[in-house]
């Protein structure tokens, strides 16, 4: 999912932002002969994510940096675990520290938060999925992290799937008019999703043959009724008021997917440190 050429370009840009015209601290303290060894350690438990990206940061700076990982993406780590050994020229080891940690801390935090939500769903078949409420220009990394954490992925961008929301319905005049017009214009390869606030909208969306029906901010009983109306005629998505306390009950209604921005937008970074 994360192509190496994409990651390399992103990492290069991140390093340019952080280093600027040079690391005036490290470059004036370290000589070319200075060599350091360190450990990548975790100070909290969670799901590890971003190992390859961490490595690419240092590969971009120097081919002399050696990293040996003891865990891989998707592994559960606990406080005190040594994730990796790292050694190489002091100049580059210190210069890349912050950027490398930013990636692996953020990605591991999202994977960990996603895992909590999927675990809270329990034995129900529903999957937790992300939204487009992501960090600009960091979406690919965040979506990869959701996948590593055990979640599923919603559309990557606006061109992936047609999603008819309330403002689109107002624009077109009705759900039926919106779906009809889209069917005439878009590729056969694209699905159409309709956001519904009421059971009447759900009934209309079903008659249009929409591929996905989103139940937006509905209470539990209304969602159960909506799932009965839809049957297996469309994929059912629940959205709104999703948190760790509610996601299990939402899953019990029979929905297929549960979308939440919280698994990305509210995910805390995982406490991972590079100890020299």
């Amino acid at each position: 999912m994360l192509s190496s050429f994409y990651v390399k370009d992103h990492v290069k840009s991140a390093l340019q932002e952080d280093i600027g015209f040079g690391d005036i601290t490290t470059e004036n303290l370290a000589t070319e002969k200075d060599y350091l060894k360190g450990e990548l350690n975790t100070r909290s438990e969670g799901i590890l994510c971003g190992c390859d990206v961490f490595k690419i940061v240092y590969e971009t700076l120097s081919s002399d940096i050696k990293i040996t990982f003891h865990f891989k993406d998707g592994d559960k780590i606990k406080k005190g675990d040594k994730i990796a050994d790292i050694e190489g020229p002091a100049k580059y080891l210190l210069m890349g520290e912050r950027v490398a940690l930013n990636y692996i801390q953020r990605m591991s935090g999202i994977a960990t938060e996603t895992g909590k939500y999927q675990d809270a769903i329990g034995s129900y078949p529903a999957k937790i999925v992300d939204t487009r409420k992501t960090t600009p220009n960091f979406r690919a990394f965040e979506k990869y992290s959701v996948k590593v954490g055990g979640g599923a992925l919603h559309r990557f961008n606006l061109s992936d799937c047609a999603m008819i929301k309330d403002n689109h319905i107002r624009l077109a005049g009705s759900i039926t008019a919106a779906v009809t017009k889209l069917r005439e214009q878009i590729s056969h390869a694209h699905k159409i999703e309709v956001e519904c606030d009421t059971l009447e909208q759900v009934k209309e969306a079903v008659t249009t043959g929409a591929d996905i029906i989103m139940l937006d901010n509905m209470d539990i009983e209304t969602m159960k009724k909506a799932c009965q109306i839809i049957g297996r005629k469309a994929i059912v998505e629940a959205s709104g008021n999703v948190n760790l306390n509610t996601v299990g009950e939402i899953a019990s209604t029979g929905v297929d997917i549960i979308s939440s921005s919280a698994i990305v937008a509210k995910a805390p970074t995982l406490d991972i440190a590079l100890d020299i």
Side-chain angles (χ1 to χ4, degrees), residues 9 15 46 48 70 74 112 129 131-132 153 176 179 198 205 227 255 260:
D9 284 347
L15 287 169
L48 181 64
H70 308 300
T112 300
V129 305
T131 72
R132 282 173 42 248
L153 303 181
T176 302
V179 173
T198 66
C227 287
V255 299
S260 172

Side-chain angles (χ1 to χ4, degrees), residues 19-41:
I19 297 172
F21 295 104
D23 180 352
I24 61 172
T25 308
T26 301
E27 292 184 79
N28 285 291
L29 290 176
T31 69
E32 293 299 322
K33 296 180 180 180
D34 286 327
Y35 195 88
L36 290 174
K37 293 184 178 181
E39 298 177 351
L40 187 64
N41 297 312

Side-chain angles (χ1 to χ4, degrees), residues 72-110:
K72 64 183 183 302
D73 283 6
D75 284 348
K76 291 185 177 181
I77 52 178
K78 61 183 185 299
K79 182 178 180 180
D81 279 342
K82 180 169 71 170
I83 299 169
D85 287 297
I86 182 169
E87 60 181 282
K91 173 182 175 181
Y92 300 113
L93 201 63
L94 296 175
M95 193 180 293
E97 176 183 3
R98 184 68 269 156
V99 171
L101 285 175
N102 282 347
Y103 278 109
I104 202 167
Q105 288 176 332
R106 176 69 179 141
M107 293 173 72
S108 296
I110 293 170

Side-chain angles (χ1 to χ4, degrees), residues 53-182:
V53 183
F54 183 93
K55 204 167 188 176
I56 287 173
V57 171
Y58 279 111
E59 288 176 348
T60 303
L61 289 171
S62 172
S63 59
D64 294 325
I65 298 287
K66 298 177 182 178
I67 305 173
T68 303
F69 277 97
H70 308 300
F71 294 87
K72 64 183 183 302
D73 283 6
D75 284 348
K76 291 185 177 181
I77 52 178
K78 61 183 185 299
K79 182 178 180 180
D81 279 342
K82 180 169 71 170
I83 299 169
D85 287 297
I86 182 169
E87 60 181 282
K91 173 182 175 181
Y92 300 113
L93 201 63
L94 296 175
M95 193 180 293
E97 176 183 3
R98 184 68 269 156
V99 171
L101 285 175
N102 282 347
Y103 278 109
I104 202 167
Q105 288 176 332
R106 176 69 179 141
M107 293 173 72
S108 296
I110 293 170
T112 300
E113 193 72 3
T114 300
K116 291 178 182 178
Y117 273 76
Q118 193 60 50
D119 287 345
I121 287 174
S123 60
Y124 296 110
K127 295 290 288 186
I128 190 72
V129 305
D130 58 349
T131 72
R132 282 173 42 248
K133 294 179 182 178
T134 54
T135 308
N137 295 322
F138 202 68
R139 184 174 294 175
F141 296 89
E142 292 174 338
K143 280 184 168 286
Y144 171 80
S145 303
V146 168
K147 190 70 174 175
V148 168
L153 303 181
H154 213 300
R155 58 178 179 168
F156 189 88
N157 54 38
L158 293 171
S159 63
D160 274 351
C161 168
M163 184 181 290
I164 302 169
K165 300 172 78 69
D166 52 359
N167 288 332
H168 298 113
I169 295 171
R170 293 188 186 97
L171 176 66
S174 69
I175 290 174
T176 302
V179 173
T180 300
K181 189 169 185 178
L182 281 171

Side-chain angles (χ1 to χ4, degrees), residues 174-215:
S174 69
I175 290 174
T176 302
V179 173
T180 300
K181 189 169 185 178
L182 281 171
R183 288 279 186 217
E184 294 171 351
Q185 300 292 330
I186 66 175
S187 165
H188 69 281
H190 286 111
K191 290 184 177 181
I192 296 177
E193 178 168 3
V194 179
E195 178 185 273
C196 298
D197 301 320
T198 66
L199 292 179
E200 287 304 311
Q201 287 185 327
V202 169
K203 292 174 184 177
E204 183 180 359
V206 170
T207 63
T208 67
D211 302 291
I212 310 164
I213 297 175
M214 179 200 291
L215 312 180

